[in-house]
Amino acid sequence: MNQLKPEGHLQNAITLDTHQYELSISEPPVLLEPGDLLKVSGKLKNISGRDWDIFIDDKETIKIGIQVYEENKPGRLEFRRSLGVDKFFDGATIEFECLIDTKPLQQGKIRLVFDLVAEGRYWFKEKGAKPETITVQVLPETAGNLIKVGNQLKREGKLIEAIANYRHALELNPNLSWLYYNLGDALEKQGNLNQAVTNYYHAIDLNPHSFWFYYRLMEMLYSQGKYYAALGYYKTIIKLPQFKNNFHKNKSKKLLIKLLHPYKIINNDVINFLQENGFDPDQYITINNEKWDKSKDFLSV
Protein backbone atom coordinates (compact mmCIF):
# COMPACT_ATOMS: atom_id res chain seq x y z
CA MET A 1 0.00 0.00 0.00
CA ASN A 2 1.30 3.45 -0.90
CA GLN A 3 0.66 6.17 1.69
CA LEU A 4 1.69 9.80 1.70
CA LYS A 5 2.28 11.84 4.81
CA PRO A 6 0.70 15.31 5.08
CA GLU A 7 2.87 17.72 3.06
CA GLY A 8 0.95 20.95 2.65
CA HIS A 9 -1.03 22.00 -0.42
CA LEU A 10 -0.78 22.11 -4.18
CA GLN A 11 -1.59 25.45 -5.74
CA ASN A 12 -5.34 26.04 -6.04
CA ALA A 13 -6.47 23.30 -3.73
CA ILE A 14 -5.30 19.67 -4.10
CA THR A 15 -4.04 18.54 -0.71
CA LEU A 16 -1.46 15.82 -0.35
CA ASP A 17 -2.72 14.37 2.89
CA THR A 18 -4.67 11.09 2.77
CA HIS A 19 -3.61 10.26 -0.81
CA GLN A 20 -3.48 6.55 -0.15
CA TYR A 21 -3.61 4.06 -2.99
CA GLU A 22 -2.75 0.59 -4.22
CA LEU A 23 -0.73 0.38 -7.42
CA SER A 24 -0.25 -2.98 -9.14
CA ILE A 25 1.51 -3.77 -12.44
CA SER A 26 0.87 -6.87 -14.55
CA GLU A 27 3.79 -9.11 -15.50
CA PRO A 28 5.15 -7.96 -18.88
CA PRO A 29 7.24 -10.16 -21.20
CA VAL A 30 10.74 -10.51 -19.79
CA LEU A 31 12.34 -10.51 -23.26
CA LEU A 32 11.83 -7.97 -26.01
CA GLU A 33 13.10 -8.06 -29.57
CA PRO A 34 14.63 -4.84 -30.94
CA GLY A 35 11.93 -2.40 -31.93
CA ASP A 36 9.14 -4.17 -30.02
CA LEU A 37 6.54 -2.10 -28.26
CA LEU A 38 6.56 -2.85 -24.55
CA LYS A 39 2.96 -3.21 -23.40
CA VAL A 40 2.40 -2.90 -19.65
CA SER A 41 -0.96 -2.75 -17.90
CA GLY A 42 -1.82 -2.02 -14.30
CA LYS A 43 -4.43 -0.98 -11.78
CA LEU A 44 -4.65 1.97 -9.42
CA LYS A 45 -7.11 1.84 -6.48
CA ASN A 46 -8.11 4.80 -4.33
CA ILE A 47 -8.12 3.72 -0.66
CA SER A 48 -7.90 7.23 0.81
CA GLY A 49 -11.37 7.38 2.25
CA ARG A 50 -12.07 10.41 0.06
CA ASP A 51 -12.35 11.42 -3.59
CA TRP A 52 -9.43 12.92 -5.52
CA ASP A 53 -9.75 15.93 -7.77
CA ILE A 54 -7.49 15.06 -10.73
CA PHE A 55 -7.69 18.44 -12.52
CA ILE A 56 -6.77 21.91 -11.40
CA ASP A 57 -8.73 24.20 -13.68
CA ASP A 58 -8.17 22.70 -17.15
CA LYS A 59 -4.88 20.94 -16.38
CA GLU A 60 -4.63 17.28 -15.40
CA THR A 61 -2.45 17.32 -12.32
CA ILE A 62 -2.17 13.68 -11.21
CA LYS A 63 -0.99 11.06 -13.73
CA ILE A 64 0.74 7.71 -13.91
CA GLY A 65 4.45 8.28 -14.45
CA ILE A 66 7.00 5.83 -15.87
CA GLN A 67 10.75 6.26 -15.51
CA VAL A 68 12.95 4.09 -17.76
CA TYR A 69 16.52 3.34 -16.72
CA GLU A 70 18.89 1.60 -19.14
CA GLU A 71 21.64 -0.69 -17.92
CA ASN A 72 25.08 0.97 -17.83
CA LYS A 73 23.70 4.20 -19.24
CA PRO A 74 23.33 7.42 -17.24
CA GLY A 75 20.10 9.35 -17.09
CA ARG A 76 16.56 8.16 -17.71
CA LEU A 77 13.54 8.56 -19.97
CA GLU A 78 10.19 9.64 -18.56
CA PHE A 79 6.66 9.03 -19.79
CA ARG A 80 3.21 10.03 -18.55
CA ARG A 81 -0.12 8.21 -18.72
CA SER A 82 -3.43 9.98 -18.17
CA LEU A 83 -5.78 8.48 -15.61
CA GLY A 84 -8.68 9.30 -17.92
CA VAL A 85 -10.99 10.69 -15.23
CA ASP A 86 -11.83 14.11 -13.80
CA LYS A 87 -12.40 12.76 -10.31
CA PHE A 88 -11.01 9.58 -8.75
CA PHE A 89 -13.72 8.39 -6.37
CA ASP A 90 -12.96 6.72 -3.07
CA GLY A 91 -12.80 2.93 -3.46
CA ALA A 92 -12.68 3.10 -7.26
CA THR A 93 -10.10 1.27 -9.39
CA ILE A 94 -8.65 2.64 -12.61
CA GLU A 95 -7.13 0.23 -15.13
CA PHE A 96 -4.44 1.65 -17.39
CA GLU A 97 -2.17 0.49 -20.21
CA CYS A 98 1.18 1.87 -21.33
CA LEU A 99 2.92 1.32 -24.68
CA ILE A 100 6.63 2.11 -24.64
CA ASP A 101 8.67 2.24 -27.84
CA THR A 102 11.96 0.36 -27.33
CA LYS A 103 13.60 1.63 -30.55
CA PRO A 104 15.53 4.41 -28.81
CA LEU A 105 16.68 2.00 -26.08
CA GLN A 106 19.96 0.11 -26.20
CA GLN A 107 20.11 -3.66 -25.86
CA GLY A 108 20.34 -5.09 -22.38
CA LYS A 109 18.29 -4.79 -19.23
CA ILE A 110 15.95 -1.88 -18.69
CA ARG A 111 14.26 -1.02 -15.42
CA LEU A 112 10.85 0.66 -15.39
CA VAL A 113 9.58 2.50 -12.32
CA PHE A 114 5.82 3.19 -12.10
CA ASP A 115 4.58 5.89 -9.74
CA LEU A 116 2.02 8.68 -9.44
CA VAL A 117 3.09 12.15 -10.53
CA ALA A 118 1.93 15.54 -9.38
CA GLU A 119 2.55 17.09 -12.79
CA GLY A 120 5.24 19.75 -12.78
CA ARG A 121 5.93 19.33 -9.06
CA TYR A 122 7.16 15.91 -7.94
CA TRP A 123 6.87 12.14 -8.12
CA PHE A 124 4.92 10.69 -5.21
CA LYS A 125 7.85 8.44 -4.26
CA GLU A 126 9.69 11.61 -3.29
CA LYS A 127 7.01 12.15 -0.64
CA GLY A 128 7.18 8.66 0.85
CA ALA A 129 5.05 6.53 -1.50
CA LYS A 130 6.42 3.23 -2.76
CA PRO A 131 6.65 2.86 -6.55
CA GLU A 132 6.34 -0.39 -8.50
CA THR A 133 9.38 -1.60 -10.48
CA ILE A 134 9.73 -4.14 -13.31
CA THR A 135 12.75 -5.25 -15.33
CA VAL A 136 12.81 -6.45 -18.95
CA GLN A 137 15.57 -7.48 -21.33
CA VAL A 138 15.92 -5.98 -24.81
CA LEU A 139 17.52 -8.59 -27.08
CA PRO A 140 20.62 -7.76 -29.15
CA GLU A 141 20.07 -6.15 -32.53
CA THR A 142 21.07 -9.17 -34.63
CA ALA A 143 20.00 -9.94 -38.19
CA GLY A 144 17.91 -12.86 -36.92
CA ASN A 145 16.06 -10.71 -34.40
CA LEU A 146 15.48 -7.98 -36.98
CA ILE A 147 14.00 -10.55 -39.38
CA LYS A 148 11.55 -11.64 -36.66
CA VAL A 149 10.57 -8.03 -36.10
CA GLY A 150 10.22 -7.46 -39.85
CA ASN A 151 8.04 -10.54 -40.24
CA GLN A 152 5.72 -9.35 -37.48
CA LEU A 153 5.49 -5.88 -39.01
CA LYS A 154 4.73 -7.45 -42.40
CA ARG A 155 1.92 -9.53 -40.88
CA GLU A 156 0.50 -6.30 -39.46
CA GLY A 157 0.63 -4.67 -42.90
CA LYS A 158 3.35 -2.21 -41.86
CA LEU A 159 5.39 -2.76 -45.00
CA ILE A 160 7.58 0.35 -44.87
CA GLU A 161 8.73 -0.53 -41.34
CA ALA A 162 9.16 -4.21 -42.25
CA ILE A 163 11.33 -3.37 -45.28
CA ALA A 164 13.45 -1.03 -43.14
CA ASN A 165 14.07 -3.85 -40.65
CA TYR A 166 15.00 -6.32 -43.41
CA ARG A 167 17.43 -3.85 -44.99
CA HIS A 168 18.99 -3.13 -41.61
CA ALA A 169 19.38 -6.88 -41.13
CA LEU A 170 21.14 -7.08 -44.51
CA GLU A 171 23.70 -4.59 -43.24
CA LEU A 172 24.45 -6.98 -40.37
CA ASN A 173 24.40 -10.19 -42.41
CA PRO A 174 24.05 -10.07 -46.22
CA ASN A 175 24.27 -13.86 -46.61
CA LEU A 176 20.89 -15.02 -45.29
CA SER A 177 18.78 -16.43 -48.13
CA TRP A 178 15.48 -16.20 -46.21
CA LEU A 179 16.19 -12.55 -45.51
CA TYR A 180 16.17 -11.78 -49.25
CA TYR A 181 13.06 -13.91 -49.66
CA ASN A 182 11.17 -12.02 -46.94
CA LEU A 183 12.36 -8.68 -48.27
CA GLY A 184 11.19 -9.69 -51.75
CA ASP A 185 7.79 -10.70 -50.38
CA ALA A 186 7.38 -7.35 -48.59
CA LEU A 187 8.44 -5.41 -51.70
CA GLU A 188 5.99 -7.41 -53.81
CA LYS A 189 3.16 -6.63 -51.40
CA GLN A 190 4.19 -2.97 -51.62
CA GLY A 191 3.99 -3.10 -55.41
CA ASN A 192 7.72 -2.86 -56.11
CA LEU A 193 7.74 -5.89 -58.41
CA ASN A 194 11.13 -5.41 -60.06
CA GLN A 195 12.87 -5.02 -56.70
CA ALA A 196 10.98 -8.07 -55.42
CA VAL A 197 12.20 -10.21 -58.34
CA THR A 198 15.78 -9.04 -57.75
CA ASN A 199 15.61 -10.16 -54.13
CA TYR A 200 14.13 -13.54 -55.08
CA TYR A 201 17.11 -14.00 -57.43
CA HIS A 202 19.46 -13.18 -54.53
CA ALA A 203 17.72 -15.75 -52.34
CA ILE A 204 18.14 -18.43 -55.02
CA ASP A 205 21.80 -17.53 -55.53
CA LEU A 206 22.42 -18.14 -51.82
CA ASN A 207 20.29 -21.28 -51.66
CA PRO A 208 19.76 -22.86 -55.12
CA HIS A 209 18.05 -25.91 -53.60
CA SER A 210 14.98 -24.23 -52.09
CA PHE A 211 11.70 -25.26 -53.68
CA TRP A 212 9.90 -22.22 -52.24
CA PHE A 213 12.36 -19.68 -53.61
CA TYR A 214 11.88 -20.96 -57.17
CA TYR A 215 8.14 -21.32 -56.70
CA ARG A 216 7.75 -17.75 -55.45
CA LEU A 217 9.94 -16.40 -58.26
CA MET A 218 7.86 -18.26 -60.84
CA GLU A 219 4.65 -16.81 -59.41
CA MET A 220 6.22 -13.36 -59.50
CA LEU A 221 7.30 -13.76 -63.14
CA TYR A 222 3.83 -15.04 -63.99
CA SER A 223 2.25 -11.93 -62.45
CA GLN A 224 4.51 -9.81 -64.68
CA GLY A 225 3.45 -11.71 -67.79
CA LYS A 226 6.87 -13.35 -68.20
CA TYR A 227 5.40 -16.80 -68.75
CA TYR A 228 8.21 -18.34 -70.71
CA ALA A 229 10.84 -17.16 -68.21
CA ALA A 230 8.79 -18.72 -65.41
CA LEU A 231 8.47 -21.95 -67.38
CA GLY A 232 12.25 -22.05 -67.67
CA TYR A 233 12.52 -22.22 -63.89
CA TYR A 234 10.01 -25.06 -63.90
CA LYS A 235 12.67 -27.16 -65.56
CA THR A 236 14.83 -26.53 -62.49
CA ILE A 237 12.17 -27.02 -59.85
CA ILE A 238 11.20 -30.50 -60.99
CA LYS A 239 14.80 -31.64 -60.47
CA LEU A 240 14.83 -30.61 -56.80
CA PRO A 241 14.59 -33.36 -54.14
CA GLN A 242 11.44 -31.72 -52.72
CA PHE A 243 9.62 -32.34 -56.00
CA LYS A 244 9.32 -36.00 -55.06
CA ASN A 245 7.01 -34.97 -52.24
CA ASN A 246 3.37 -35.16 -53.38
CA PHE A 247 2.50 -31.84 -51.77
CA HIS A 248 5.21 -29.99 -53.69
CA LYS A 249 4.48 -31.94 -56.86
CA ASN A 250 0.75 -31.12 -56.81
CA LYS A 251 1.40 -27.46 -56.02
CA SER A 252 3.87 -27.32 -58.93
CA LYS A 253 1.40 -28.88 -61.35
CA LYS A 254 -1.23 -26.25 -60.48
CA LEU A 255 1.32 -23.55 -61.19
CA LEU A 256 2.25 -25.23 -64.47
CA ILE A 257 -1.38 -25.04 -65.57
CA LYS A 258 -1.39 -21.31 -64.79
CA LEU A 259 1.83 -20.82 -66.72
CA LEU A 260 0.72 -22.63 -69.85
CA HIS A 261 -2.79 -21.27 -70.03
CA PRO A 262 -1.67 -17.82 -71.26
CA TYR A 263 0.11 -19.37 -74.26
CA LYS A 264 -2.08 -18.67 -77.26
CA ILE A 265 0.46 -20.22 -79.59
CA ILE A 266 2.11 -23.42 -78.40
CA ASN A 267 5.65 -23.73 -79.69
CA ASN A 268 7.81 -26.83 -80.00
CA ASP A 269 9.91 -25.90 -76.95
CA VAL A 270 6.85 -26.01 -74.70
CA ILE A 271 5.63 -29.30 -76.20
CA ASN A 272 9.08 -30.87 -75.92
CA PHE A 273 9.39 -29.70 -72.31
CA LEU A 274 6.10 -31.35 -71.38
CA GLN A 275 6.85 -34.62 -73.10
CA GLU A 276 10.44 -34.88 -71.92
CA ASN A 277 9.32 -34.49 -68.32
CA GLY A 278 6.44 -36.93 -68.46
CA PHE A 279 3.58 -34.44 -68.70
CA ASP A 280 0.61 -35.15 -70.95
CA PRO A 281 0.11 -31.94 -72.99
CA ASP A 282 -3.64 -32.65 -73.18
CA GLN A 283 -3.86 -32.06 -69.41
CA TYR A 284 -2.08 -28.69 -69.49
CA ILE A 285 -3.01 -27.06 -72.79
CA THR A 286 -6.57 -25.95 -73.34
CA ILE A 287 -8.58 -25.89 -76.55
CA ASN A 288 -8.19 -22.10 -76.50
CA ASN A 289 -4.54 -22.47 -77.45
CA GLU A 290 -4.21 -21.87 -81.17
CA LYS A 291 -2.38 -24.37 -83.36
CA TRP A 292 -2.55 -27.02 -80.63
CA ASP A 293 -4.58 -29.33 -82.86
CA LYS A 294 -2.06 -28.92 -85.65
CA SER A 295 0.78 -29.60 -83.23
CA LYS A 296 -0.95 -32.75 -82.02
CA ASP A 297 -1.32 -33.97 -85.58
CA PHE A 298 2.36 -33.26 -86.20
CA LEU A 299 3.42 -35.15 -83.09
CA SER A 300 1.30 -38.19 -83.95
CA VAL A 301 2.89 -38.65 -87.34
Side-chain angles (χ1 to χ4, degrees):
M1 179 180 74
N2 295 310
Q3 181 173 353
L4 295 182
K5 300 176 182 179
E7 288 286 348
H9 297 270
L10 282 176
Q11 182 181 0
N12 294 335
I14 289 190
T15 60
L16 291 176
D17 59 313
T18 67
H19 275 75
Q20 300 178 44
Y21 56 91
E22 292 176 347
L23 177 62
S24 59
I25 305 296
S26 63
E27 284 293 328
V30 295
L31 293 176
L32 295 172
E33 293 177 3
D36 276 356
L37 284 176
L38 173 58
K39 181 178 179 180
V40 183
S41 58
K43 295 180 180 180
L44 176 69
K45 184 176 182 179
N46 181 355
I47 57 172
S48 301
R50 70 175 187 82
D51 302 339
W52 298 5
D53 289 320
I54 301 302
F55 280 77
I56 292 180
D57 298 326
D58 61 345
K59 294 183 179 180
E60 187 172 6
T61 302
I62 299 178
K63 297 180 180 180
I64 296 289
I66 307 104
Q67 295 174 329
V68 181
Y69 297 86
E70 299 177 69
E71 188 176 36
N72 301 321
K73 184 177 179 181
R76 70 192 182 197
L77 298 175
E78 290 188 359
F79 302 91
R80 301 286 193 273
R81 176 68 172 86
S82 171
L83 293 178
V85 295
D86 295 336
K87 186 181 288 290
F88 191 15
F89 295 103
D90 177 42
T93 298
I94 293 175
E95 296 185 3
F96 59 89
E97 184 176 274
C98 305
L99 291 176
I100 298 173
D101 187 359
T102 65
K103 288 179 182 176
L105 305 178
Q106 64 181 9
Q107 68 186 54
K109 290 183 179 180
I110 57 174
R111 179 167 55 91
L112 296 97
V113 178
F114 292 79
D115 191 21
L116 288 188
V117 176
E119 194 67 80
R121 294 172 173 84
Y122 52 77
W123 292 66
F124 277 32
K125 65 180 181 179
E126 297 170 7
K127 303 298 180 179
K130 182 182 178 182
E132 292 293 323
T133 301
I134 61 173
T135 302
V136 297
Q137 176 87 25
V138 179
L139 294 175
E141 196 175 68
T142 64
N145 286 331
L146 288 168
I147 292 172
K148 291 178 183 178
V149 174
N151 290 346
Q152 180 59 40
L153 290 168
K154 187 171 62 174
R155 285 190 289 270
E156 295 172 1
K158 300 175 181 177
L159 297 177
I160 293 176
E161 294 91 337
I163 291 168
N165 272 273
Y166 292 141
R167 285 181 169 154
H168 189 182
L170 281 174
E171 294 173 1
L172 300 176
N173 190 341
N175 298 311
L176 295 175
S177 59
W178 278 99
L179 175 51
Y180 287 100
Y181 175 86
N182 283 306
L183 176 56
D185 184 51
L187 288 166
E188 181 182 350
K189 287 179 169 63
Q190 197 182 48
N192 293 322
L193 302 187
N194 290 333
Q195 290 186 47
V197 169
T198 298
N199 280 277
Y200 290 142
Y201 282 134
H202 282 313
I204 289 173
D205 287 341
L206 290 169
N207 183 2
H209 305 294
S210 171
F211 172 88
W212 291 111
F213 292 174
Y214 285 107
Y215 185 87
R216 198 70 194 91
L217 175 60
M218 290 160 63
E219 284 194 319
M220 184 81 259
L221 293 170
Y222 172 81
S223 70
Q224 292 182 299
K226 300 175 181 178
Y227 310 123
Y228 201 71
L231 189 61
Y233 281 101
Y234 203 94
K235 298 177 181 180
T236 302
I237 205 172
I238 63 177
K239 297 176 183 178
L240 296 175
Q242 299 98 312
F243 194 78
K244 297 177 182 178
N245 179 284
N246 285 332
F247 172 79
H248 293 93
K249 185 179 294 185
N250 291 334
K251 199 165 183 65
S252 301
K253 285 185 176 180
K254 290 178 181 178
L255 180 57
L256 181 58
I257 293 172
K258 286 175 64 177
L259 290 174
L260 291 180
H261 182 72
Y263 277 92
K264 296 303 181 184
I265 299 177
I266 301 300
N267 59 39
N268 288 336
D269 284 342
V270 173
I271 296 169
N272 290 336
F273 164 74
L274 293 172
Q275 291 186 322
E276 288 172 1
N277 291 286
F279 297 108
D280 180 1
D282 280 321
Q283 294 183 19
Y284 294 96
I285 301 176
T286 69
I287 58 174
N288 295 324
N289 296 118
E290 298 172 9
K291 300 187 179 179
W292 175 228
D293 288 335
K294 294 181 179 179
S295 299
K296 284 175 66 178
D297 293 340
F298 172 78
L299 290 168
S300 63
V301 174

